Amino acid sequence: MNTLIPMFYFLFLLLPFLLVNDTLQPGQRIENTLEGEVTHEYVIELSQGQFVTGYVEQQSVDVKLTIKGPDDQILKEIDSFSQELEHFDFESDAAGAYTVTVAGDDDDGTYAIQLVRAEPIATDAAARVDQLMSLYA
């Protein structure tokens, strides 16, 4: 009995490191299934000054997105009336791991997430407009 307590404590400390988050790369599309109140997290590794766009295709489930910075602060929460796509975009203020969390309603269903761009913020006005409008092209 006494040997089990340290082992459970050790496993409890390791648990956060055993949970795997999918890493998103530009152009990459990941299809997944939400079941009940389960959420999925996707990590985007960024340097400071990056512009990021992407979307979630709601195939058979309505999703809500939460985007967090490396400091775990919420940057955006997205839950539009769209039944097809939830678009997201943000800029990285600091280098690190940014997280996009996909949560569904209580129903089971499938979705696909795609990171469209992760690139330096454009300094030229025309290029900046292209970045901002890229999701709607």
Side-chain angles (χ1 to χ4, degrees):
M1 177 76 172
N2 288 341
T3 60
L4 289 178
I5 293 172
M7 184 170 46
F8 283 121
Y9 182 71
F10 178 74
L11 289 174
F12 177 77
L13 290 175
L14 278 180
L15 187 59
F17 300 103
L18 297 175
L19 299 175
V20 177
N21 294 328
D22 286 318
T23 301
L24 281 176
Q25 301 293 328
Q28 180 183 20
R29 177 184 169 95
I30 298 175
E31 296 194 26
N32 216 331
T33 300
L34 284 171
E35 297 176 357
E37 296 180 13
V38 172
T39 62
H40 296 156
E41 290 187 348
Y42 299 91
V43 175
I44 306 169
E45 291 289 340
L46 299 171
S47 56
Q48 183 179 6
Q50 298 279 291
F51 176 74
V52 176
T53 60
Y55 63 86
V56 174
E57 179 184 333
Q58 302 173 108
Q59 297 169 344
S60 63
V61 65
D62 184 31
V63 301
K64 174 184 173 185
L65 307 178
T66 304
I67 299 170
K68 292 183 179 180
D71 58 359
D72 209 34
Q73 295 295 313
I74 295 174
L75 302 177
K76 284 189 173 185
E77 292 182 309
I78 303 162
D79 189 12
S80 70
F81 293 110
S82 171
Q83 294 299 314
E84 293 180 16
L85 297 177
E86 292 286 4
H87 294 277
F88 63 88
D89 65 85
F90 64 94
E91 297 174 2
S92 61
D93 293 333
Y98 288 73
T99 305
V100 178
T101 303
V102 179
D105 45 24
D106 292 333
D107 297 329
D108 297 351
T110 59
Y111 70 91
I113 185 169
Q114 181 158 351
L115 182 60
V116 176
R117 291 182 178 205
E119 60 192 22
I121 297 170
T123 55
D124 173 74
R128 184 70 176 133
V129 169
D130 286 344
Q131 282 183 331
L132 295 171
M133 299 305 291
S134 64
L135 282 176
Y136 307 103

